[in-house]
Amino acid sequence: MIVAVAPAWARIIPGITAAAIFCFLNLHGHLYGADKIKIGVANYNLSNLSVGVAQKKGFFKEEGIESEIIALRTNVVIAALVSGELDYTSLIGSIVGAAAKGSPLKLIAVSVDRPPLYFVSHPRIKTVSQLKGSTFGIGSYGTNVEIVTRRVVKHFGIDPDKEIRLLALGASPARLAALQQGVVDVVVVAPPDELKGKKMGFNVLVKTEEIVKFPYNGVGTSVRKLEQQPDEVKRVLKAIIKANRFIRGNREGTIQVLIDWAKAGREDAIASYDSAYKSFSEDGSISEDDIRTLIEKMVKDGKSSRPILPSDVADLNPLYQAQRELGIAKR
């Protein structure tokens, strides 16, 4: 039999109850014994807003988690996850690519299920038919931005392998600078950078979420984390789902997080929120078809020579557990 011994202060305060003691112990377990995690992101921006809101609005703390969000290059994020220096990342395209090549990593949820991206073009390009033969500026190769770009141009009847060229340029400011210098004809950017491009005299040509539904951002972790700390993984996902519900339902509060966390100006924060809040998933779900879409891209790029199943790159069991505990179970 396990006996709970009340702290000394409880023995000298008349009327203290066992329930109160256990509430105290539970509260202080969260305050002083919180799991510390590190989350790798590409930027502090709209695409990664789920983790920013989970941190700033206290959803991680509600789940007994102390979070540190670190902006790193994609290749560094993947290496750090494999080594255990990072615990989680939002770069799910890179997670799937690394898992397809055999890295012990898994996709575990989706936070943004529609791509909040825009094609911003040189003034001479006024219609999508003029995109044929263009050079596109993206952040880096092998990411979801590249996948979305290829799917959108294909939607408009342009062969993404033969009739456009992709150039990896890094962060959005570098892409816009390259567009201004004539190095590229089109850039693919997230809000509010399409507005910056418009102010520079460029055309906002395509809003990609109106063309394709695609798992753009989410949560990935290591197989080691899934095996050794499954309860922590579940609680991280509960915090992300809570954050996304906050994003979809609390405009002013989310705009303030964009200002405080992403360092956006108020005008940009408002525009970003209004253009993209519906892209945030209500429950973190991802279908097997969407996972197969991610896999197909990796296979096509030669990142794996063997057949790959969704279970090879994703583990959604912690997500289902989180959904059940939040009362939104789908299975």
Side-chain angles (χ1 to χ4, degrees):
M1 181 174 69
I2 298 173
V3 179
V5 179
W9 54 263
R11 295 195 293 271
I12 64 174
I13 300 177
I16 194 76
T17 65
I21 292 170
F22 280 110
C23 284
F24 173 86
L25 293 174
N26 185 58
L27 172 63
H28 281 251
H30 281 294
L31 288 176
Y32 299 111
D35 293 326
K36 296 182 179 180
I37 65 168
K38 294 181 179 179
I39 306 171
V41 300
N43 296 288
Y44 304 119
N45 62 8
L46 179 76
S47 299
N48 297 295
L49 185 58
S50 298
V51 294
V53 167
Q55 183 187 70
K56 291 298 183 182
K57 304 310 294 186
F59 297 122
F60 281 134
K61 285 187 179 179
E62 281 184 11
E63 296 298 331
I65 292 167
E66 182 181 327
S67 62
E68 181 181 359
I69 303 171
I70 306 169
L72 297 166
R73 294 193 307 275
T74 301
N75 61 328
V76 176
V77 167
I78 297 303
L81 275 172
V82 172
S83 70
E85 296 173 73
L86 282 178
D87 301 290
Y88 303 89
T89 185
S90 60
L91 303 174
I92 61 173
S94 299
I95 283 284
V96 171
K101 291 188 289 184
S103 293
L105 304 173
K106 297 281 188 177
L107 163 67
I108 58 174
V110 163
S111 57
V112 180
D113 57 16
R114 291 183 180 275
L117 298 171
Y118 290 82
F119 286 6
V120 178
S121 68
H122 190 278
R124 69 174 176 277
I125 299 175
K126 296 180 173 61
T127 66
V128 292
S129 63
Q130 294 176 282
L131 292 174
K132 186 178 293 187
S134 295
T135 298
F136 283 69
I138 61 173
S140 56
Y141 300 120
T143 61
N144 282 349
V145 176
E146 179 183 351
I147 297 172
V148 170
T149 301
R150 290 180 177 276
R151 288 187 66 181
V152 170
V153 298
K154 187 175 181 179
H155 170 84
F156 289 114
I158 298 169
D159 188 329
D161 296 319
K162 298 177 181 178
E163 297 180 318
I164 65 167
R165 178 181 173 228
L166 298 176
L167 192 61
L169 297 170
S172 293
R175 286 175 244 172
L176 288 171
L179 183 60
Q180 196 168 35
Q181 295 161 10
V183 176
V184 295
D185 307 298
V186 189
V187 293
V188 186
V189 294
D193 290 309
E194 86 283 5
L195 297 179
K196 294 177 182 177
K198 190 172 183 179
K199 290 177 181 178
M200 294 166 70
F202 302 126
N203 295 324
V204 178
L205 203 60
V206 176
K207 186 177 183 179
T208 66
E209 68 174 33
E210 295 176 348
I211 308 299
V212 296
K213 183 178 185 298
F214 184 82
Y216 180 72
N217 227 350
V219 188
T221 191
S222 65
V223 172
R224 178 179 57 253
K225 177 71 72 172
L226 287 162
E227 292 174 348
Q228 296 180 2
Q229 295 174 283
D231 186 67
E232 178 195 282
V233 175
K234 176 194 66 181
R235 287 183 283 118
V236 166
L237 293 180
K238 286 174 68 178
I240 295 296
I241 293 170
K242 289 178 183 179
N244 271 21
R245 293 190 156 200
F246 181 92
I247 290 168
R248 292 177 65 95
N250 192 317
R251 181 176 183 271
E252 192 55 41
T254 306
I255 288 169
Q256 195 59 49
V257 173
L258 281 167
I259 293 169
D260 297 338
W261 181 74
K263 307 304 179 187
R266 183 165 182 81
E267 181 182 353
D268 287 344
I270 291 171
S272 296
Y273 179 86
D274 289 343
S275 69
Y277 77 95
K278 290 182 180 178
S279 298
F280 288 84
S281 170
E282 290 187 281
D283 60 14
S285 294
I286 179 171
S287 69
E288 284 201 356
D289 286 343
D290 284 339
I291 296 173
R292 288 191 181 95
T293 298
L294 291 169
I295 291 171
E296 287 169 7
K297 169 65 172 60
M298 306 308 162
V299 172
K300 185 176 179 180
D301 286 352
K303 294 185 178 179
S304 176
S305 57
R306 62 181 177 84
I308 303 170
L309 300 173
S311 58
D312 293 328
V313 301
D315 182 351
L316 302 182
N317 288 313
L319 175 64
Y320 301 146
Q321 294 171 19
Q323 290 173 338
R324 283 195 292 271
E325 292 193 9
L326 291 171
I328 55 173
K330 290 191 171 182
R331 57 181 294 170

